[in-house]
Amino acid sequence: MTPLGTALQSPPAAPEILSRCRELVAPALAEAIGGLHPWVAEMAGYALGRCEVGGAPATHSQGKGVRQALAVLGAEAAGGPAEAGVPGAVAVELVHTFSLLHDDIMDGDALRRGRPAVWKAYGTGPAVLAGDALFALAVETLTAGPATAHAAAAVRHLTTALRDLVRGQADDLLFADRPWRGPEAVGVGEYETMAEHKTGALLGCALALGAQLAGARQETTTALDRVGRHLGVAFQIVDDLLGIWGDPAVTGKPVHGDLRQGKKTLPVLVALNAPGHCALAELLASPAALDDAAVRHAASLVERAGGRTGALREARRHLATADMLLAGASLAPRPAGELRTLLSSLAHRTI
């Protein structure tokens, strides 16, 4: 029985977990950005949702800070204090933001979180410069302050993740020139390898860095890295689903944007592997740009061929694998439980 006067407390929900970790990391993140050239610092603040063009305080919500939370929870899961994961949280947030700056330029995406992307707000050259500065700052963060005891290993882990991220981004760009069908078409397995590199590498790095900075053993950091990589594949798949069927008010991007751009996303690849996909392949291979009616028809064909349900099933499979890896690792119970909460909320896209 519960002792008199003691209330049963429910475990925190995903928004509470994310908020706690963001608040812990925010001062260190602000301090790091504050050391940049003022103009570059403004662009970094804009990219992070902290300010508007010109430096005025932002009037909308910032990003949810999933990677920051993973680094903090990684430290706690390894038995260390939350503060041990803060340098890793700052580093991965800076690298993530750097990758988004360049990603938006490469993809020609004019919007990010419902407002102009940095390259549209400041120009392409300044956006590239800001991205470069954020990457350099991320490495510097891991070599200063309380992180220095683990600096060499932490920097190696971060740069390895970045190498994988670049590899995944390169494959994603090359996929655009591959045909929709035939022996040169992009396979589902190729897609998942790309997603692990492009998205999973940094999520795995966030978890592993937090644990590493807390002094975890190698087997723990390796297990957490694998958890994050599976989480990343699921995350990318759900992004693909939102890119076709998401609400622009939530995603901040136009509806059917990925179909208009002809991106090789998992729902489309699954649909193309289904029997009777010729109409979809012919529509996507059309040399003419797809108008509103055509992209709506394409989305309908993808759904009817099982692309939507198949992609969601694959995302859940990767989340289940991540959960299994968590269960097999020697982790502190409370942060391990909070990590599972984040995994579950991803499946329902609440983060």
Side-chain angles (χ1 to χ4, degrees), residues 223-247:
L224 288 174
D225 185 81
R226 291 180 63 203
V227 167
R229 285 173 179 265
H230 281 285
L231 173 61
V233 177
F235 202 108
Q236 185 62 56
I237 293 170
V238 174
D239 266 358
D240 286 354
L241 290 163
L242 292 173
I244 299 176
W245 295 285
D247 180 354

Side-chain angles (χ1 to χ4, degrees), residues 53 140 200 220 235 321:
V53 174
E140 181 182 344
T220 300
F235 202 108
T321 302

Side-chain angles (χ1 to χ4, degrees), residues 23-108:
E23 290 175 7
L24 177 67
V25 174
L29 185 58
E31 182 180 358
I33 293 169
L36 295 171
H37 181 286
W39 185 44
V40 177
E42 180 191 315
M43 287 188 282
Y46 179 86
L48 288 160
R50 301 167 64 91
C51 71
E52 304 296 344
V53 174
T59 56
H60 66 286
S61 61
Q62 299 178 26
K64 293 179 176 63
V66 173
R67 290 154 191 81
Q68 298 175 44
L70 292 178
V72 171
L73 291 175
E76 292 179 319
E83 291 76 11
V86 169
V90 172
V92 293
E93 187 65 22
L94 294 173
V95 167
H96 173 57
T97 306
F98 140 73
S99 72
L100 294 182
L101 290 178
H102 289 190
D103 197 31
D104 285 343
I105 294 169
M106 287 183 283
D107 291 345

Side-chain angles (χ1 to χ4, degrees), residues 160-161 164-165 195-206 225 228-229:
T160 297
D164 279 352
L165 187 156
E196 179 192 331
H197 290 151
K198 180 181 175 181
T199 306
L202 196 54
L203 292 177
C205 179
D225 185 81
R229 285 173 179 265

Side-chain angles (χ1 to χ4, degrees), residues 30-304:
E31 182 180 358
I33 293 169
L36 295 171
H37 181 286
W39 185 44
V40 177
E42 180 191 315
M43 287 188 282
Y46 179 86
L48 288 160
R50 301 167 64 91
C51 71
E52 304 296 344
V53 174
T59 56
H60 66 286
S61 61
Q62 299 178 26
K64 293 179 176 63
V66 173
R67 290 154 191 81
Q68 298 175 44
L70 292 178
V72 171
L73 291 175
E76 292 179 319
E83 291 76 11
V86 169
V90 172
V92 293
E93 187 65 22
L94 294 173
V95 167
H96 173 57
T97 306
F98 140 73
S99 72
L100 294 182
L101 290 178
H102 289 190
D103 197 31
D104 285 343
I105 294 169
M106 287 183 283
D107 291 345
D109 287 337
L111 293 177
R112 169 69 60 181
R113 294 174 184 153
R115 62 180 187 160
V118 175
W119 71 276
K120 292 296 287 185
Y122 290 89
T124 302
V128 171
L129 177 65
D132 293 345
L134 291 176
F135 171 59
L137 185 59
V139 175
E140 181 182 344
T141 298
L142 292 177
T143 61
T148 51
H150 305 281
V155 169
R156 278 198 302 273
H157 209 120
L158 183 68
T159 53
T160 297
L162 181 61
R163 182 186 62 197
D164 279 352
L165 187 156
V166 170
R167 180 178 296 153
Q169 184 66 55
D171 283 338
D172 194 28
L173 289 172
L174 289 171
F175 285 175
D177 295 324
R178 302 264 295 273
W180 288 105
R181 54 184 173 179
E184 297 300 316
V186 178
V188 170
E190 287 182 280
Y191 167 93
E192 295 204 355
T193 298
M194 177 278 294
E196 179 192 331
H197 290 151
K198 180 181 175 181
T199 306
L202 196 54
L203 292 177
C205 179
L207 273 170
L209 266 186
Q212 198 168 44
L213 294 171
R217 293 181 300 178
Q218 182 62 45
E219 55 263 36
T220 300
T221 60
T222 299
L224 288 174
D225 185 81
R226 291 180 63 203
V227 167
R229 285 173 179 265
H230 281 285
L231 173 61
V233 177
F235 202 108
Q236 185 62 56
I237 293 170
V238 174
D239 266 358
D240 286 354
L241 290 163
L242 292 173
I244 299 176
W245 295 285
D247 180 354
V250 176
T251 65
K253 294 187 176 183
V255 68
H256 299 148
D258 285 351
L259 283 174
R260 290 180 191 278
Q261 295 176 20
K263 295 198 71 171
K264 307 294 194 302
T265 60
L266 191 64
V268 175
L269 297 179
V270 170
L272 289 172
N273 281 328
H277 67 268
C278 292
L280 175 61
E282 289 172 4
L283 179 60
L284 294 173
S286 171
L290 300 182
D291 59 19
D292 289 347
V295 292
R296 285 195 299 270
H297 183 48
S300 176
L301 290 174
V302 171
E303 186 155 17
R304 292 210 304 262

